[in-house]
Each structure stands twice: as C-alpha cells, then as structure tokens.
Amino acid sequence: MISAERLRQIAFWARELNDTEIEHARRGMVEKEFAKGEYLCHRGDRFDHWVGVVHGVVKVGTMSSTGKSTTFAGCRNGSWLGEGSVVKDEPRRYDLVALRDSRVALMNRAAFFWLFDNSAAFNRFLIHQFNERISQFIGLVEYDRMLDIPSRVARNIAWLFNPVLYPQDKATHLDITQEELGLLAGLSRQHTNEALKLLESKGLLRVERGGVTVLDLPALAGYGE
DNA sequence: GCATTAACAGCCG
DNA sequence: CGGCTGTTAATGC
C-alpha cells in the first residue's frame, strides 16, 4: 500500500481524482523494483495488475519462436500500461521486460475496477490513453516495411516523449542508452549509434552519454515520411 | 553482401 | 573502475 502523497507523485492521473477515489487507488497499489533484463511478466501469464513506470524503461513486446523480438511500445517513467489485460481478464498477450533497473507501481484488479466503475476522471484518463495508443499502433503497422533505420530511431524517441501519454512531463531529456534504444527499435547498437548521430547532425536531438535530449519533437515524430 | 554479433580501446562519471 | 560509446573484425543469413 502506498500513501496518497506518494500516489500523487507517481501518477499524474491521480491529480484529477477526489479523496475517496485516491483512497481506493492507493490501497490497491504497491511499488516494486525490477533489475535490468528482468521480466515483469511473460506472454501467457496471468498478471492481474495495472502497471505504472515510476522510473526506468519497460519494453512491451513479444519474442517469436525464432527469437526475433517485436516491440509494441517502450515505456518510461510516467507510463501506465496493461489496462487491456486487466479489463478483459485474460492472460497477457505480450512480455513486459525492464530494459534497465526500474521501479514500477502495481495496481490490483479490484482497485482498478473500483475506479473503472466509480470515477469519471479515471475513465476520462483511460479514454485518452486508449485513443493515443490506437494512433501509435496505426503508425506501427508501417514500421517494418516502410521505415529506414534513422526513421525507426526517430519514431521510437518521439514515442517516448508523446505529449498525450506524458502530459505532465515537460522534460526533453531522457536517460536511455543507445543499446536500450536499439532494443526498443529492434536495431543493433551500431545502427542505433549511426542513426542517432545522423539525427543529431540535423539538429533534431542531442546525443549524450547514457541519454538523449530532444530538440525538435515534431520533426522526430514525422521523420522519414 | 548486408547486418548482426563479438571484441576492444577510449572515455566519462 | 564500471558502464557506455565508437570503431573494427568476425560471423551468420
């Protein structure tokens, strides 16, 4: 269980909730650490929690039988995910893996449904979130066949700074290594490295040690189109 | 061939 | 000193 104070710190959507709603939310939540490379859950698992990333980076994706991985989304601090599996009460359709040491908040199913049934503010947040996910996944359809390497890197970075998914966060810097970015984009570290330098030369971002700073988000989001 | 993996030296925190 | 980066060499599809 976490405090109301803590909930407001780690969950921007909680700021719209009234005291009763906050109470239900915080009582149904715990925080947990995951080490780099550790799985929060595997595809097929029963994992009845809604997940919020407090810090770190979590990859949502699957691993095919041949060992090839597909990323559906990269989630950094401020991300909330997994509501689909909680709502539908079905096994996870994807893996959740920590790309670096990460701290996550877990809300149990009962608390999630209480909010779902009782809080207009919570539902408003969920609708916004679903809506944004849909447009992100539409973009994902063209990803494999249409986008060259720099475009993939640009798009993945833009997703990590999506202003709808991270409305409270005006930051332009993110701690993420080139290797982690490569894992997200489905690219080798070398290609990621080259692509980052290309994007930097065009003034769209700044490459730093263990991180990037976004200089032109719209250009990154639309890169390669 | 091309791309991914491995390997390694430099470097920054 | 450990982890990240940039490059090159080896390996695999």
Side-chain angles (χ1 to χ4, degrees), chain A residues 21-195:
Chain A
E21 293 164 347
I22 293 261
E23 206 46 28
H24 277 84
R26 76 170 188 87
R27 286 173 185 276
M29 287 174 78
V30 293
E31 288 187 54
K32 197 171 172 189
E33 294 275 351
F34 287 88
K36 175 177 181 160
E38 196 175 348
Y39 279 75
L40 283 66
C41 69
H42 287 87
R43 184 179 188 183
D45 281 355
R46 283 276 164 185
F47 182 72
D48 286 336
H49 295 283
W50 190 43
V51 179
V53 180
V54 178
H55 68 241
V57 181
V58 172
K59 189 182 110 159
V60 183
T62 57
M63 191 79 93
S64 73
S65 49
T66 56
K68 221 176 173 187
S69 77
T70 306
T71 302
F72 296 145
C75 298
R76 63 172 174 95
N77 55 304
S79 277
W80 291 85
L81 56 128
E83 61 279 348
S85 297
V86 175
V87 169
K88 289 184 286 184
D89 188 24
E90 67 177 17
R92 291 283 157 164
R93 313 190 59 161
Y94 39 73
D95 303 318
L96 298 180
V97 56
L99 288 189
R100 56 165 54 202
D101 291 348
S102 300
R103 184 172 187 85
V104 302
L106 304 172
M107 181 190 284
N108 67 35
R109 196 153 186 278
F112 183 90
F113 267 94
W114 190 92
L115 290 167
F116 192 45
D117 290 337
N118 294 281
S119 171
F122 188 71
N123 280 283
R124 199 149 42 235
F125 161 76
L126 281 182
I127 291 286
H128 277 295
Q129 169 120 337
F130 277 132
N131 219 2
E132 194 56 28
R133 288 272 173 70
I134 287 170
S135 52
Q136 185 161 322
F137 287 146
I138 287 170
L140 199 57
V141 174
E142 66 180 357
Y143 189 87
D144 278 323
R145 78 179 55 188
M146 295 179 68
L147 297 182
D148 60 16
I149 289 166
S151 304
R152 293 185 185 203
V153 172
R155 194 160 292 209
N156 272 278
I157 293 171
W159 283 338
L160 288 169
F161 287 91
N162 182 315
V164 176
L165 295 182
Y166 309 101
Q168 84 293 4
D169 196 335
K170 302 286 187 287
T172 58
H173 172 87
L174 181 63
D175 285 326
I176 187 167
T177 66
Q178 297 180 6
E179 184 177 8
E180 290 159 357
L181 220 36
L183 287 169
L184 282 181
L187 302 167
S188 64
R189 189 165 65 78
Q190 283 77 353
H191 274 143
T192 307
N193 177 260
E194 287 172 28

